[in-house]
Amino acid sequence: MKLAARIAHMTGNGKDGWAILGRARDMIAVGEAVTMLTIGEPDVKTDPAVLSAMMAAAVAGNTGYTDIAGQRALRAEIAARVSARTGVATSPAQIVVTPGGQAALFAAHMALLGAGQTGLFVAPHYPTYPGTIRAGGGVALAVPARPEHGFQPEAHALDAAAAASDARTLLINSPNNPTGVIYSRDTMEGIAEVCERRDLWLISDEVYDTQVWEGTHISPRTLPGMAKRTIVIGSLSKSHAMTGSRIGWVVAPEEVAHAVHALAVNTTYGVPGFIQDAGLFALREGQDLETRIAAPFRRRRDVAVRALAGSQAVRLTPPAGAMYVMADIRATGLSGADFAERLLADERIAVMPGESFGASAAGHLRIALTLDDEALKKALLRLRSYAEALVR
Ligand code: PMP
């Protein structure tokens, strides 16, 4: 029996970069105490008021099939939020609610990238990106953002890759997982120019747009001429600690929204109504709830910066946003993967090797800020001593 070629194409070489997470989980399963700084799961849980709204909606009967593009009131709320935050007039017809940002990323590529066509993405990258591009038959091509350039993608590199591959789409992510970088206005304007010149669709993953610690997040959809070629990916996973509820959306030109809706009719058949009601409740709580959920990550970002300050072995560029720090351990002479392996074996601390997110993050570690402040500080001080001993 043979699997479809599409699936083999999607999984690529079979390595997904998460091996260390599996190993750490195996250790925990046999009773070892491992400090987990690997996965981007907020340790903050969904707010009880949001859960009550979910329960009330279900008990009131919103348990049947729902409006597949998203309930009217929720789409209106998302459209109003996007309009207010970006200044770009956005209508409910431009919104489709999806089971999380991941489904939105898949839908956008399915709608815009033909089989055999190239979809660009910036590396270091969220690990699902290449598989998501390939899932619909596209060819995934990474464009490295260099640490020497603060992990900001460079227009000339994007332009060269687009020209050489005749790419149709470009996927970007700011605030960025894994680097914590927020793209500058220059970077965004450079990206917009390349998209215009090479006639690319821009898929802008903005699921961390409520986690901004320094500077401002610019949605590229706000740049002149860009709304017609930009699809924004949104999610309540990180902004409202609702990872398990699986609720996100696309903001897109109307004809693209129609295509994403048509795909949903034939795949997910929508997001459960009671989850959508909870999402609507969460959004209507406004800035207060978002700020409350972002607060621990903002605090821990400062904890991490202080714990690693001045170290020559573990160098940190303080992250401007998102819930991770990217630490440069090249001074130890080890790869990120070797360092992470040894740190797990010797110190029982699990971090992600930079290499899991693309070659341009080689010699780095991604540390998730998903532990309480004291435990995080302790783990980072141990990591620091471990790295410094390797340098001596
Ligand atoms: N994009 C990025 C950059 C992410 O980090 C994640 C989740 N970690 C997602 C998309 C997908 O999130 P979800 O499907 O839970 O909305």
Side-chain angles (χ1 to χ4, degrees):
M1 300 297 287
K2 266 200 164 165
L3 296 177
R6 189 189 307 112
I7 279 290
H9 173 64
M10 181 185 79
T11 50
N13 62 9
K15 279 196 240 149
D16 63 1
W18 292 94
I20 194 132
L21 178 63
R23 204 129 53 240
R25 284 184 173 151
D26 290 345
M27 289 165 71
I28 292 170
V30 296
E32 293 190 50
V34 177
T35 305
M36 289 293 256
L37 300 171
T38 44
I39 201 169
E41 170 89 51
D43 54 334
V44 181
K45 296 295 171 200
T46 306
D47 193 87
V50 174
L51 294 175
S52 298
M54 193 184 293
M55 175 78 174
V59 169
N62 195 358
T63 53
Y65 289 128
T66 181
D67 188 341
I68 295 172
Q71 292 174 175
R72 219 165 264 271
L74 178 59
R75 291 162 83 199
E77 184 71 26
I78 295 167
R81 181 183 197 252
V82 172
S83 304
R85 290 188 181 192
T86 64
V88 181
T90 304
S91 77
Q94 294 177 283
I95 311 292
V96 180
V97 177
T98 60
Q102 181 55 46
L105 285 164
F106 174 68
H109 284 96
M110 277 295 277
L112 303 174
L113 188 63
Q117 294 182 324
T118 297
L120 302 177
F121 64 104
V122 175
H125 60 92
Y126 177 54
T128 69
Y129 282 1
T132 304
I133 292 169
R134 292 187 206 117
V139 175
L141 182 63
V143 183
R146 298 174 302 133
E148 296 72 32
H149 202 252
F151 288 120
Q152 300 266 342
E154 292 164 271
H156 66 85
L158 292 168
D159 191 64
S165 63
D166 192 24
R168 301 287 79 235
T169 56
L170 167 61
L171 170 58
I172 61 171
N173 171 220
S174 176
N176 187 266
N177 174 12
T179 62
V181 166
I182 293 183
Y183 294 0
S184 67
R185 178 163 289 278
D186 265 8
T187 297
M188 281 300 189
E189 287 177 352
I191 287 170
E193 265 177 46
V194 172
C195 290
E196 296 265 351
R197 186 174 323 119
R198 302 294 172 195
D199 196 21
L200 299 176
W201 289 103
L202 181 62
I203 301 171
S204 178
D205 179 345
E206 301 181 22
V207 305
Y208 292 100
D209 66 350
T210 61
Q211 300 185 357
V212 176
W213 323 133
E214 243 177 53
T216 29
H217 161 65
I218 299 166
S219 176
R221 188 166 170 268
T222 62
L223 299 179
M226 287 304 287
K228 65 174 188 298
R229 60 170 74 247
T230 303
I231 290 79
V232 174
I233 307 299
S235 171
L236 292 178
S237 283
K238 314 290 165 149
S239 62
H240 292 78
M242 292 179 72
T243 48
S245 289
R246 312 308 306 132
I247 181 163
W249 58 80
V250 296
V251 185
E254 254 185 70
E255 61 278 22
V256 178
H258 284 310
V260 170
H261 176 203
L263 179 67
V265 169
N266 294 291
T267 53
T268 61
Y269 219 73
V271 172
F274 53 92
I275 303 273
Q276 295 196 51
D277 281 344
L280 178 61
F281 176 90
L283 286 173
R284 285 186 175 158
E285 291 289 279
Q287 208 92 41
D288 277 4
L289 180 57
E290 286 175 21
T291 306
R292 194 147 35 89
I293 288 172
F297 302 113
R298 176 186 291 273
R299 227 177 37 234
R300 293 170 194 164
R301 176 249 193 208
D302 296 337
V303 167
V305 170
R306 279 197 299 274
L308 301 177
S311 175
Q312 297 303 305
V314 191
R315 290 169 204 252
L316 199 70
T317 307
M323 46 197 279
Y324 313 94
V325 296
M326 193 65 145
D328 179 350
I329 48 100
R330 284 176 291 180
T332 65
L334 294 181
S335 68
D338 287 344
F339 187 101
E341 288 291 347
R342 290 208 204 174
L343 188 71
L344 180 61
D346 297 343
E347 296 287 331
R348 302 282 186 270
I349 297 172
V351 297
M352 292 297 293
E355 292 84 355
S356 297
F357 307 96
S360 55
H364 288 70
L365 306 173
R366 189 197 74 172
I367 300 160
L369 303 173
T370 48
L371 262 192
D372 72 72
D373 303 30
E374 258 322 291
L376 176 70
K377 181 175 159 193
K378 265 205 203 142
L380 289 178
L381 290 174
R382 273 167 59 211
L383 184 154
R384 176 179 182 155
S385 320
Y386 190 78
E388 285 171 356
L390 288 169
V391 170
R392 258 182 249 123

